Amino acid sequence: MAFFSRFNTKGSLLIGVLIVAYLLPIWLFPYFPTQDGVSHVYNSQILTEYNNPEYQFRDYYEINWYPFPNWISHASLAVLMFVFPPLIAEKIFLSLYVTLFPLAIYYFLNAVQRERHALVILSFTFIYNYLLLMGFYNFAVSVPLFFLALGYWWKYKDEMNLKHLVLLNLLIIITYFAHLISYAFILFSIALLALLHFKRDFKRILMTGCYLLPAAMLLLVYLPTSDLLAGGPPEFGFGRVGELFANLIGMHVLISYTEPPSWISVAIAAFLIFLVVTTLWQNRRGATAEHPGQKAFLYLAIVLLGLYFILPNSVGPGGWVNDRLAILATLAIFAWFRGFDNLQWKRVFTAVVTLLALVNLVYIGILFKRLNTEISEFNAFVEQVEKNSVILPLHFDPRGSSERVGIFVNAANYYCLDNGCINLGNYEIQFDYFPVRFNADFETPLDEKEWVQTVHWQPERIDLCDYADNVDYLLLWDTPDEPIVAEAIEACYTLIASDGKLKLYKGQRE
């Protein structure tokens, strides 16, 4: 009962109400509009139905069971799909993420200093961030896992017994199976905080490194087989500092269907700057003592931001490195922010951030409604595709009204749910950090490793006529950019349905 009593406050109840409210965009609309999300759903269903004789997945795909990062969303969705339809399973998974996110921030901030409800409310504006809307479900889940692990270590750093060691390593291992970047930076962050907190107590610092070893060993399991080591080392540099600073100040990592991001992102950025200024002012006044760890988390945030500015956007096959660090660094600095001592100021602050979180939610709902209309138009011919067919998708309007997130890039996967269809635009098969890949004897449109990228972005390089006997359906969205593509489609495929930008052709496979 003591555990539950700490949540029995007005601030905690408000957080609970906001969690329920933030679940509404997931459940009010048929589709969750992302770029890669439906691809994860489709590949997870392949895991669920791989041995189902009604489908032909075994004829086309093989499963990569290696313990690489990125398993958490695929494994979770696959298990859920034993009970629920694919799109409902996706909604449940996303609901768990939305629920976990503020609770993890709540736990993290309370591990550093109690009673920080207003900052937890502000964190709601980060839930539907750019990387989630890109469909990076594994990284999205890794963010709350990162802060759970960081908060847990900070809370028990001075009394680390066997139970705490086991639970800490378990949290870090789960983070590994969510995403490599969050896993690497939780190890880095704990190491840095240990140096800052224990200072010259080298024994405690060494002990911290030793008890992180079980979780850290996973790097030795993954890296030798990973494409991360195939290229050269990451190139540090300052060539993009201006661009990255503008993105950070404008909070481009928040809701990002528009270019540039909406005024809400700017408002949240202004609010964060206000918190930086007021925290500096209160520290200078010295009316009340700094809370334990305040400077340590400031230094951690500064180091993460420094890496944000100098790291490249891609390391090996993984991209969006700067955006991922921007989210971790911005939320980490919440632990440095100071609250208001005056009760009236506390109430005003809470009211403002609550209003900001609610306006953000309404804006999300408006965008989701519009984008769901567009996705529904794209999915108009789903029922016309026969079971166990092979689909070749060619999309020439990958974003629609979504300017930063390509909601149509992987939307052909909607045509492959619950019917065993094979999507030749299945981008996940070309990376070693996803569980599904085509069989070695599969006849690809091009003889190169990343041929799926060609399907998405350079279809003029494919001999569409020569490959027509491998295709049941060609799904076309908008007008081809190159005349050679349009001519090949008209010559070698048969139009069977057309509605605006959407056209469905029959291939020649028998």
Side-chain angles (χ1 to χ4, degrees):
M1 294 299 293
F3 174 80
F4 291 102
S5 65
R6 74 182 65 175
F7 297 99
N8 189 24
T9 65
K10 290 181 180 179
S12 300
L13 291 173
L14 179 56
I15 291 169
V17 170
L18 284 173
I19 289 174
V20 174
Y22 265 71
L23 293 174
L24 292 177
I26 296 172
W27 292 96
L28 287 178
F29 306 102
Y31 307 108
F32 191 79
T34 70
Q35 179 167 305
D36 293 353
V38 68
S39 180
H40 301 329
V41 175
Y42 168 62
N43 285 283
S44 298
Q45 188 174 46
I46 294 172
L47 297 177
T48 305
E49 304 289 353
Y50 190 68
N51 293 312
N52 185 344
E54 294 183 10
Y55 295 149
Q56 58 178 353
F57 290 141
R58 293 184 69 92
D59 296 335
Y60 285 86
Y61 293 116
E62 61 183 22
I63 307 301
N64 174 19
W65 295 109
Y66 199 77
F68 52 80
N70 274 18
W71 258 112
I72 202 164
S73 73
H74 291 79
S76 301
L77 287 166
V79 170
L80 287 168
M81 277 187 267
F82 279 109
V83 181
F84 302 100
L87 295 183
I88 298 300
E90 180 188 32
K91 291 178 184 296
I92 295 171
F93 176 79
L94 291 169
S95 297
L96 294 173
Y97 156 76
V98 168
T99 303
L100 179 63
F101 192 105
L103 293 181
I105 300 300
Y106 183 102
Y107 179 85
F108 164 64
L109 293 177
N110 275 272
V112 180
Q113 185 185 23
R114 300 293 298 274
E115 301 300 322
R116 314 258 240 128
H117 298 96
L119 289 175
V120 178
I121 294 169
L122 181 60
S123 76
F124 276 85
T125 60
F126 286 77
I127 290 176
Y128 290 97
N129 58 70
Y130 171 51
L131 298 178
L132 173 70
L133 300 180
M134 281 293 292
F136 300 166
Y137 290 170
N138 291 291
F139 177 77
V141 172
S142 78
V143 173
L145 291 172
F146 173 95
F147 286 100
L148 275 177
L150 194 60
Y152 190 83
W153 178 81
W154 184 261
K155 184 175 182 178
Y156 295 110
K157 61 188 180 302
D158 295 313
E159 48 185 70
M160 193 64 68
N161 57 32
L162 180 61
K163 172 188 171 183
H164 297 151
L165 288 176
V166 171
L167 288 175
L168 176 63
N169 276 275
L170 181 61
L171 278 171
I172 297 173
I173 290 169
I174 295 171
T175 304
Y176 166 85
F177 283 107
H179 201 273
L180 184 63
I181 283 184
S182 295
Y183 163 77
F185 278 103
I186 189 58
L187 293 172
F188 173 82
S189 299
I190 291 174
L192 179 60
L193 289 173
L195 288 171
L196 294 170
H197 176 71
F198 295 125
K199 297 178 181 177
R200 297 182 180 178
D201 190 341
F202 299 111
K203 180 181 177 181
R204 299 292 295 275
I205 294 171
L206 182 61
M207 286 175 60
T208 301
C210 289
Y211 63 62
L212 290 177
L213 277 177
M217 293 296 289
L218 284 169
L219 271 179
L220 300 180
V221 173
Y222 174 64
L223 285 180
T225 64
S226 170
D227 288 342
L228 286 174
L229 299 180
E235 297 182 5
F236 292 74
F238 297 93
R240 299 167 54 234
V241 167
E243 172 195 349
L244 291 172
F245 182 77
N247 291 345
L248 184 67
I249 291 297
M251 278 288 105
H252 287 206
V253 293
L254 300 184
I255 303 173
S256 301
Y257 287 120
T258 60
E259 184 68 66
S262 71
W263 62 268
I264 293 180
S265 297
V266 176
I268 295 167
F271 206 79
L272 291 171
I273 293 171
F274 167 76
L275 286 171
V276 171
V277 172
T278 56
T279 299
L280 289 171
W281 179 70
Q282 289 187 75
N283 286 344
R284 186 171 182 179
R285 279 181 62 214
T288 56
E290 295 181 4
H291 64 76
Q294 187 181 33
K295 285 184 178 178
F297 281 99
L298 172 62
Y299 295 148
L300 172 62
I302 289 173
V303 170
L304 292 177
L305 285 173
L307 291 170
Y308 162 80
F309 282 113
I310 64 175
L311 279 174
N313 194 43
S314 298
V315 176
W320 285 268
V321 172
N322 307 112
D323 291 319
R324 301 179 203 273
L325 272 171
I327 292 174
L328 297 179
T330 305
L331 290 170
I333 207 172
F334 277 33
W336 172 69
F337 291 150
R338 296 185 66 155
F340 294 95
D341 299 325
N342 183 280
L343 181 60
Q344 287 298 113
W345 275 108
K346 280 185 179 180
R347 289 174 176 172
V348 170
F349 180 71
T350 302
V352 171
V353 293
T354 302
L355 178 62
L356 193 59
L358 291 173
V359 170
N360 184 67
L361 178 62
V362 171
Y363 180 64
I364 292 166
I366 293 170
L367 291 174
F368 276 26
K369 182 178 180 180
R370 185 186 72 204
L371 297 176
N372 264 258
T373 299
E374 296 180 33
I375 296 173
S376 295
E377 293 171 358
F378 180 92
N379 289 336
F381 300 149
V382 166
E383 299 300 326
Q384 299 190 39
V385 172
E386 297 177 0
K387 186 177 179 179
N388 291 328
S389 301
V390 177
I391 299 176
L392 174 62
L394 300 179
H395 303 156
F396 299 94
D397 175 24
R399 295 180 175 85
S401 63
S402 170
E403 298 175 23
R404 291 187 72 197
V405 174
I407 59 173
F408 300 126
V409 170
N410 294 298
N413 288 297
Y414 287 114
Y415 282 74
C416 299
L417 297 178
D418 283 334
N419 61 11
C421 284
I422 306 301
N423 178 19
L424 296 177
N426 186 359
Y427 87 95
E428 293 189 21
I429 59 96
Q430 63 196 354
F431 297 110
D432 69 348
Y433 47 80
F434 289 120
V436 175
R437 59 185 61 170
F438 278 115
N439 291 329
D441 59 353
F442 175 73
E443 184 179 347
T444 62
L446 284 174
D447 187 19
E448 51 188 61
K449 181 179 180 182
E450 297 190 1
W451 60 268
V452 180
Q453 299 292 77
T454 303
V455 170
H456 284 298
W457 308 112
Q458 296 177 300
E460 67 277 4
R461 294 183 54 213
I462 300 173
D463 189 338
L464 291 173
C465 285
D466 182 63
Y467 201 68
D469 59 356
N470 294 283
V471 176
D472 289 305
Y473 295 98
L474 187 148
L475 185 66
L476 185 67
W477 180 250
D478 209 6
T479 306
D481 301 322
E482 299 290 339
I484 189 174
V485 176
E487 292 169 4
I489 292 173
E490 294 301 324
C492 302
Y493 297 81
T494 304
L495 180 67
I496 60 174
S498 178
D499 184 8
K501 293 182 177 182
L502 182 66
K503 292 180 174 63
L504 186 65
Y505 293 82
K506 200 80 170 78
Q508 299 175 7
R509 193 170 82 103
E510 295 181 0

